[in-house]
Amino acid sequence: MLDYTKLDKILYGGDYNPEQWPEETWPEDMRMFRLAGIDILTLNVFSWAAIQPSEDCYDFSRLDRIVELAEKNGIRICMATSTGAHPAWMAMRHPDILRTDEHGIRRKFGSRHNSCPNSPTYLKYGPALAGALAQHYRGRESIVAWHISNEYSGECYCENCEKAFRDWLKEKYGTIEAVNAAWDTAFWGHTFYGFEEIVVPDYRSEMFEGGRTTFQGISLDYRRFMSDSMLRECLLEADEIRSAVPDAVITTNFMALYKGLDYAKWAKHLDVVALDCYPSNGDPWTRTSMTHDQMRGLKNGDPYMLMEQTPSVTNWQPYNALKRPGVLRLLSWQAVAHGADTVMFFQMKQSIGACEKYHGAVISHAGSEDTRVFREIAALGTELKDLGARTLGSRTAASAAVLFDWDNWWAIENSAGPSTDIRYLTEVGRMYSALRSMNYDVDLVAPDQPLDTYRLVCAPLWYMVKGRDDENVRRYVAGGGTFVTSFFSGIVQENDLVTTGGYPGKLRDILGIWVEENDALPSGSQNSFRYGGREYPAGILCDILHLRGAQQIDEGGYTGDFYKGSPVVTVNHFGKGRAYYIATASGPEFYRSFLGDLCREQGMEPVMEVPADVEATCRRKEGARFVFLLNHKAEAVKVRIPWDCAELLKGGTYPAGSEIGLAGYDVRIFEIPDGSAGCQQV
Amino acid sequence: MLDYTKLDKILYGGDYNPEQWPEETWPEDMRMFRLAGIDILTLNVFSWAAIQPSEDCYDFSRLDRIVELAEKNGIRICMATSTGAHPAWMAMRHPDILRTDEHGIRRKFGSRHNSCPNSPTYLKYGPALAGALAQHYRGRESIVAWHISNEYSGECYCENCEKAFRDWLKEKYGTIEAVNAAWDTAFWGHTFYGFEEIVVPDYRSEMFEGGRTTFQGISLDYRRFMSDSMLRECLLEADEIRSAVPDAVITTNFMALYKGLDYAKWAKHLDVVALDCYPSNGDPWTRTSMTHDQMRGLKNGDPYMLMEQTPSVTNWQPYNALKRPGVLRLLSWQAVAHGADTVMFFQMKQSIGACEKYHGAVISHAGSEDTRVFREIAALGTELKDLGARTLGSRTAASAAVLFDWDNWWAIENSAGPSTDIRYLTEVGRMYSALRSMNYDVDLVAPDQPLDTYRLVCAPLWYMVKGRDDENVRRYVAGGGTFVTSFFSGIVQENDLVTTGGYPGKLRDILGIWVEENDALPSGSQNSFRYGGREYPAGILCDILHLRGAQQIDEGGYTGDFYKGSPVVTVNHFGKGRAYYIATASGPEFYRSFLGDLCREQGMEPVMEVPADVEATCRRKEGARFVFLLNHKAEAVKVRIPWDCAELLKGGTYPAGSEIGLAGYDVRIFEIPDGSAGCQQV
Amino acid sequence: MLDYTKLDKILYGGDYNPEQWPEETWPEDMRMFRLAGIDILTLNVFSWAAIQPSEDCYDFSRLDRIVELAEKNGIRICMATSTGAHPAWMAMRHPDILRTDEHGIRRKFGSRHNSCPNSPTYLKYGPALAGALAQHYRGRESIVAWHISNEYSGECYCENCEKAFRDWLKEKYGTIEAVNAAWDTAFWGHTFYGFEEIVVPDYRSEMFEGGRTTFQGISLDYRRFMSDSMLRECLLEADEIRSAVPDAVITTNFMALYKGLDYAKWAKHLDVVALDCYPSNGDPWTRTSMTHDQMRGLKNGDPYMLMEQTPSVTNWQPYNALKRPGVLRLLSWQAVAHGADTVMFFQMKQSIGACEKYHGAVISHAGSEDTRVFREIAALGTELKDLGARTLGSRTAASAAVLFDWDNWWAIENSAGPSTDIRYLTEVGRMYSALRSMNYDVDLVAPDQPLDTYRLVCAPLWYMVKGRDDENVRRYVAGGGTFVTSFFSGIVQENDLVTTGGYPGKLRDILGIWVEENDALPSGSQNSFRYGGREYPAGILCDILHLRGAQQIDEGGYTGDFYKGSPVVTVNHFGKGRAYYIATASGPEFYRSFLGDLCREQGMEPVMEVPADVEATCRRKEGARFVFLLNHKAEAVKVRIPWDCAELLKGGTYPAGSEIGLAGYDVRIFEIPDGSAGCQQV
């Protein structure tokens, strides 16, 4: 976590690249930052070429001047290591640093995310730079966090990666026989007699259209290996920093709902999680909420940093619409509402060249404070200053959890069959969004995490049940928990090998069912079923199951096709708890109805009762609870306040039962002291 | 053909890969097979790595145990040579065995269909393995067929292929001048002065988007060369087998309507044709019929093997829907109805890993006989046993033929212009489906085959008229035959060089027309014409033609555009016969109407008069005819039986004139002894 | 320009490749040409392999015979240099001549457009061949033009190009520091310390999906470099020709609206511009007009050559529809109407092989003069002969100009953001088509050209304002001109670096506005505004602007969204002139209404008042004006003639006020002698 002893408010600022500008322009930047209430700058994100002109030479002189300028202006620093893009000279002299793509084409110098994570050159000079920086800037009180590299992502399929993959496999499996068993290589006669026969699984070998694969075992392990390779490089940098600055707060910025890296594994090694948050035009607000809850879930509910967001537009989408007035503020507070303790932007000053020049910034090309966007930024700066430290360090106490697991994501989307429409995020989103839209706080957690504190645990599309994760759930349900999973779950173990004896494999006893067949519905066609007196759609995949102890709780099963009548929603009483199964994919109304029923049965209360598309979340801290109220639509609404509370943004206090109006995109933060009327309901 | 002296029923079984499983599970497999009436297993399809651990070593010990197990259980064997996927060690030590793709990227070890057909390594070790297997298993009575490699397919563009292509060209053309003439290389100045200047025609040279080509001559020859290269490798394996097992019945499995290989050329060298039959979701049933008739046509009407089909689902389609109850049985009998004398599956036991783990199998992941699919399999096993040898070896006596030719397929779809919507299978399918849906038995035959036995010969989109194929048709028509062809026919000779002097080139005298222009209609737009009192659509290409002896038999020509009134359907009296031309592509109703008229004029009778989407085919054998009645829809129908006959599946005899009900997807086989009432009508 | 002293009519003919045919067929070709009135042949376009069988040997013997045949038949020659496709032997022996594609894949011999423009081999043997040809054919009176190579196009990314690119950069920028500044390489730490670190910007480095780029600076310069590289090769050939034939008229054929080459730069070095004109099915006629006006604008209004068009069909479009009867004539005269002084075809004789065999030709596969197409060709030949020299050398005197600039095209479509729907040709076309459809003659000119002669200058999407181009416009407006530009203009300078201080950058004073924000509208959504009492759509990008001296002339601004009311159309009085801004993209009706208003205010008269989809253009020559009247639709129309004139195609004279009928696709040419009634209106 951030060092809260050093903070008296939510830090406000972002990526600042003054090296792109003449030095004489810097003071004007500082003036603008002061106007905007900026108090943190992320420096040095893309300066590798600038600060290291050759193998044996560092030049921190300009960075020194930037750091001093920030300090002189009372601004904290998030110090990046600059290893997110290597210098051109390094690529020329040491081409092993360049990645090879999934078609086997070696890249040339350019773009970013461009270093091979198993390149000897990268592994030498990346950490060395981090170490040199840490040595040079140790003892600077202004540095509140160290930001390693930038947005780790992508893949490499070069010969160094191939060799490193073999080493990783040796380390993991020990013998080639164990590899053969893990990957079921007898299939198609892929048996290996030695590690040196193993090659990278790309479009030259096992991959085919859409990134799918003919051999799931090797492809899954390569994803794990690639995530581990980047993590290894990251940790080499972290080690260098920690040896110079033992109390360094280390992070790297994660990209929302990014498939490529197992952030759950990464987060264990970081001091604080940081998020780059760029909702696309038209994303539902619950998807952004899920992004935030994933970040918070990565380190047991610890607050995280909102490291990047745009104040106005992005540049990389097909259509880069402006954030409407008020939306910058709304999304910033949404982050805080879910657990962020910083509000930061990419970028502080808009570049004049290259691909991000049309990305929004605090200081725009106009260079003027007299813009709508700057006015919104400055107003938010004032709000943040006024709020001070009140909410810092507060935590969410969700009673519902949704299991989230990168291995599942990778495995199900590698699969050849039963349907290319099965997408992990879609299925996770169905259950998450239902709960969130009813304003239940939700944690996203890994399947091996403790579940005891939850009254409801959902495991959407839990295709791959690894190790003893089923035992974790078994214990939870047996102990009285309520568990929900869905179609095509329990199918494989950790190597994507099917658990034989009948689906859903290791979950059969918990769920009390046997799934005999899975029928994939062509795009556009659907079946249906009835639950709670209403008819709902069934699509994507229809499991055909038999009750083996469970009871059917939908009304009459599928309404059509040859499996008409086959159960769709079942419950099994297992120990003191209940385990539910949803045999198909349905629409949002179903999930709201069904999960709403379960929440009510469990006596769970939403944070607040509010109109549709208004979000309410709660963070707690010794002595008080903070309820964040966010109106995600353009229209005004009225909300009844159920507790005695103070409002922290506009000020004022409200007795329980007050009704307030909330303008379009408006936000409120209520502080409810422990013991005040109605407080227990939160 | 299969050795019918050894068979007393339709063989029932499929691909069995016990090497993917612990040996202790095998006896349970045998128990399940017995329950299902299985009596043939295809073994050793993907075991190259297992049985050849290095260049100079074979290990058949486990395969011996599998063979013995099968024999002990009274099960016949289809012995595969395993060369469909090479070992990883071989790819590592001898990378020439790896293919190079159409972008010039050399593949790495992985997937299957992965051996370069001109690789010295493959040409050495593939046939050697086949020979070693044949030596090892010679004399085994249980082996009813030898199955070379697996699903030959794909292409290679490596340097070895380039060299072999030059040799193939030298062999074919003799001199470089002859090559220049054949390919018209004066165009764009592509003149070659030596064979060594010729390179493979891929995306690096002549190919462009959609696999089309800027030089049809070389691209067409490369397709022929690639088909010949794989055939050469196949025959090297066959030679090895035959020298050890002189009476070996040799096959390899063909993929339905596969474009890449000239199966007509291949089939000449095989003892029996074998089909892998995987209709896609939503394919019309007539397309599957066409698949079967193509297989039967490849070897002069000889019965063939249904080598692979899925009992339930595939895994490789975007949406892998279940075969509905009864459909497995329906499609199995449909194969027999068209000339198959085996019913076999991929696969006997569902693998737990890799890309086919969600492909259906006789023994599923559940390992249970208590499944819908297993019950259907076992019931079919019983039907096949009860039927016995009755229909084995019977043959189809079609009075209609549709010409089918791979060179035409390749050439028309290589063409730059006149329309990318011209697809060979679509045009062939229009005429075939009209005849088949009216229940005329149809042969698919090559244009150089004898045509005398047919009362109607259709040559849809006969773009390329090779050698003296026009003479074959000229003789047929002059002798009294009825011939139908369609737009854009007679355009080129065998090297895709235009026959000048006016389209349709060598067919002008036969058809009595001159096609002056071809107008390509943009996708979605259409013209129309009237025939037999009804209006039909005209699309894709509209030939604008002049009568040069022929008569117009549509009513008034095209109804629109500047060529309004230009003839669409013409007939030419040529010798004792008639030659028809259809100047455009129309809808299914037109082809049924028009070809129905021709059939009636020729006194041809359909196999039976049945409701729509019920199929009736006939196979004959000394002393009897067998009519297969297949209801391709889910709804029940009633059918009148026009002959005295016995029914072979449900039993019972029917006098001519009886009416029977046929449930959805249901099947009947009627045996009509020669001389019984109504027999002549079949 | 062509040498008009040698011409007594519009030359009529095209590409003739007799080397693809036996010599004995040539006389028949000549007979057909005479029938068709052909008097020019482009020879030797693809004969490099034929005339140069090895490095040190030329063989012109067959070409000599072809040239003599043409001369004997009184036919002029356009002599091509044949370097549009290199010989196979050269590619084999000197592989540096082969291009490397944007993925780094080296091509093999094949297709055309296949020579690397920086290949030492190409730079040696290409110009050498041109020189040898010129030496060999110097003094031939029959040669009216030299045609260098053919349709220069494409790109190369090989190592020779990489090296040459560095040299080009050194030449342009002098120092690496200047490169860093020009490309803003501090962004993402791309700073270069030496030219040798710079690599080609392709998919291996800076390009990403859709050909967009992460570094606009280098990608823009690479486009310029690639255009310059090909131009350099072209000029080396030209130098060789000129040193043998000092008065040679040199050209190369440009492809209509082709993005890859900066034709404005090329045209300066050519003696006459030549156009290949292939409208696609469904192109509006105004697009073809724009193509012609671009050609005319490239050399200050000089007449150009229509070098290629198809008489009937193309072969390379997805659907190659026939040109309807009359359309060949219509499009030929349309070229003349806009400034072409030749009418030429690809191709004179249809090849029998390879990818253009289904492309239309004067002599078709049928070889018959009795075809619709040949009759139309011959009739046009007669018309051209009858017209004689009347219009030769006449020029257009447009009062409206549309600025067109390849750098703008490249830069805006390289951009990452704000919207992938922003397309340069679309925006240019909106203004051009409005003016053209109202029958104002329009010049397309570069932004640095003199503007004084125009009463209206439009600069659609003038994104990049290079050098002192703003000063050119500033002077024009200050002097009384009327100037119109549109959204997202004035954003960057010549290196794609943003002009800071507020959009539209260097145009702010001229336009009197400040654009604060740009809102990209997702595909399918739109805003709207009112102008002149009508409502029009607003889409793609909506600029949100402030008046800084300008007045709003739309009625009420945007009608929706948070910027409702923000001005859409503004005018600024600047010096003696007016500068208009259109803040968004609208529909054709708006541009006709708005630009029509401006034209009327400026007292501009259309060439003629005619019904919709009838085009009228005017060319002038000492003593007379020629008005071309072209009916682009299939339906007949009536037109009133406002001047005393003679009609040159059908003959006859008309007093002012006459009304004539014009059949579908029909054409007239009126000659209006200076001083005749109504003449001043033209």
Side-chain angles (χ1 to χ4, degrees), chain C residues 228-521:
Chain C
D228 283 358
S229 295
M230 294 194 189
L231 176 55
R232 178 178 64 147
E233 194 283 329
C234 177
L235 296 184
L236 288 175
E237 293 195 37
D239 288 348
E240 292 286 339
I241 296 167
R242 287 192 178 116
S243 69
V245 186
D247 62 347
V249 174
I250 291 181
T251 192
T252 187
N253 47 347
F254 288 166
M255 294 178 294
L257 302 175
Y258 176 65
K259 185 176 174 183
L261 302 177
D262 183 348
Y263 286 154
K265 194 166 180 182
W266 280 59
K268 291 184 172 67
H269 301 275
L270 301 174
D271 298 308
V272 62
V273 163
L275 169 67
D276 292 356
C277 189
Y278 295 100
S280 288
N281 302 339
D283 276 357
W285 61 267
T286 51
R287 187 179 169 100
T288 311
S289 300
M290 186 163 88
T291 299
H292 290 296
D293 287 346
Q294 181 183 78
M295 290 299 114
R296 193 186 66 241
L298 290 174
K299 281 192 86 69
N300 307 312
D302 283 359
Y304 57 94
M305 300 177 75
L306 174 61
M307 184 63 91
E308 292 187 16
Q309 63 171 341
T310 181
S312 50
V313 286
T314 57
N315 70 290
W316 44 266
Q317 303 192 66
Y319 309 106
N320 298 282
L322 296 168
K323 281 187 179 172
R324 269 48 199 156
V327 171
L328 154 65
R329 173 173 176 262
L330 173 71
L331 294 181
S332 298
W333 284 118
Q334 188 187 17
V336 176
H338 284 266
D341 270 354
T342 69
V343 173
M344 296 166 71
F345 299 110
F346 179 85
Q347 50 191 342
M348 299 310 291
K349 189 170 183 180
Q350 204 168 13
S351 67
I352 60 165
C355 80
E356 292 184 334
K357 63 180 174 293
Y358 300 122
H359 193 290
V362 170
I363 303 175
S364 72
H365 289 146
S368 168
E369 65 228 53
D370 185 24
T371 66
R372 175 186 71 87
V373 172
F374 190 85
R375 284 187 296 268
E376 293 196 26
I377 291 166
L380 178 58
T382 302
E383 277 194 339
L384 289 165
K385 199 179 309 170
D386 292 348
L387 178 64
R390 267 320 230 298
T391 63
L392 279 186
S394 61
R395 304 174 71 89
T396 303
S399 52
V402 169
L403 303 189
F404 192 95
D405 177 51
W406 270 262
D407 284 309
N408 262 276
W409 193 352
W410 296 337
I412 190 65
E413 297 186 3
N414 267 350
S415 181
S419 165
T420 53
D421 277 1
I422 301 179
R423 311 304 294 179
Y424 187 62
L425 282 189
T426 303
E427 297 308 319
V428 171
R430 290 188 208 277
M431 295 201 198
Y432 175 87
S433 296
L435 292 167
R436 182 68 267 168
S437 70
M438 296 185 293
N439 283 304
Y440 294 101
D441 282 334
V442 182
D443 285 348
L444 259 72
V445 297
D448 62 356
Q449 294 298 298
L451 303 173
D452 310 337
T453 58
Y454 301 111
R455 293 197 235 172
L456 173 65
V457 172
C458 299
L461 192 60
W462 197 15
Y463 168 69
M464 172 177 281
V465 177
K466 297 180 292 186
R468 296 178 55 77
D469 288 354
D470 57 311
E471 194 48 38
N472 193 32
V473 167
R474 190 173 286 110
R475 201 181 315 117
Y476 166 72
V477 181
T482 298
F483 174 74
V484 180
T485 187
S486 67
F487 69 92
F488 214 54
S489 289
I491 305 294
V492 296
Q493 41 81 292
E494 57 272 21
N495 293 315
D496 203 53
L497 299 183
V498 172
T499 301
T500 53
Y503 312 139
K506 295 192 273 184
L507 306 179
R508 282 186 69 182
D509 61 327
I510 304 173
L511 293 163
I513 56 169
W514 166 41
V515 175
E516 182 184 336
E517 298 187 78
N518 324 100
D519 190 36
L521 270 58

Side-chain angles (χ1 to χ4, degrees), chain B residues 200-415:
Chain B
V200 292
D202 62 15
Y203 279 102
R204 290 170 294 178
S205 51
E206 304 291 8
M207 282 169 84
F208 62 100
E209 39 156 350
R212 300 205 167 224
T213 175
T214 52
F215 246 85
Q216 283 74 32
I218 186 172
S219 294
L220 179 62
D221 267 342
Y222 200 79
R223 277 201 170 276
R224 289 164 170 157
F225 158 73
M226 196 43 59
S227 176
D228 283 0
S229 296
M230 294 195 189
L231 176 56
R232 179 178 64 147
E233 194 283 329
C234 177
L235 296 183
L236 288 174
E237 293 195 37
D239 289 348
E240 292 287 339
I241 295 166
R242 286 190 180 117
S243 68
V245 186
D247 62 346
V249 174
I250 290 181
T251 192
T252 186
N253 47 348
F254 288 167
M255 293 177 294
L257 303 173
Y258 177 66
K259 184 176 174 182
L261 302 177
D262 184 349
Y263 286 153
K265 194 166 181 182
W266 280 58
K268 290 183 172 68
H269 301 275
L270 300 175
D271 298 307
V272 62
V273 163
L275 169 66
D276 292 354
C277 190
Y278 295 100
S280 288
N281 302 339
D283 276 356
W285 62 267
T286 51
R287 187 179 168 100
T288 310
S289 299
M290 186 162 89
T291 299
H292 289 296
D293 286 348
Q294 182 185 77
M295 291 299 114
R296 193 185 67 240
L298 290 174
K299 281 192 85 70
N300 306 314
D302 283 358
Y304 58 95
M305 298 176 76
L306 174 62
M307 184 64 90
E308 292 186 18
Q309 64 172 341
T310 180
S312 50
V313 285
T314 56
N315 68 291
W316 43 267
Q317 304 193 64
Y319 309 105
N320 297 282
L322 297 167
K323 282 187 178 171
R324 269 47 199 156
V327 171
L328 154 65
R329 173 174 176 261
L330 174 71
L331 294 180
S332 298
W333 285 118
Q334 188 187 16
V336 176
H338 283 267
D341 271 354
T342 69
V343 173
M344 294 165 71
F345 299 110
F346 178 84
Q347 51 191 337
M348 299 309 291
K349 189 170 181 179
Q350 204 167 12
S351 68
I352 60 164
C355 81
E356 292 183 333
K357 63 180 174 292
Y358 300 122
H359 194 291
V362 170
I363 303 176
S364 72
H365 289 147
S368 167
E369 65 227 52
D370 185 23
T371 66
R372 174 186 73 88
V373 171
F374 190 86
R375 284 188 296 268
E376 293 196 28
I377 291 166
L380 179 58
T382 302
E383 277 195 339
L384 289 165
K385 199 180 309 171
D386 291 349
L387 180 64
R390 273 310 239 299
T391 62
L392 279 185
S394 61
R395 304 175 71 89
T396 303
S399 53
V402 169
L403 302 189
F404 192 95
D405 177 50
W406 270 263
D407 283 309
N408 262 276
W409 193 352
W410 297 336
I412 190 64
E413 297 186 2
N414 267 349
S415 181

Side-chain angles (χ1 to χ4, degrees), chain B residues 162 193 463 496 503 516, chain C residues 49 108 324 357-358 365 372:
Chain B
E162 193 164 80
Y193 287 96
Y463 168 69
D496 202 54
Y503 312 140
E516 182 184 336
Chain C
K108 287 171 161 272
R324 269 48 199 156
K357 63 180 174 293
Y358 300 122
H365 289 146
R372 175 186 71 87

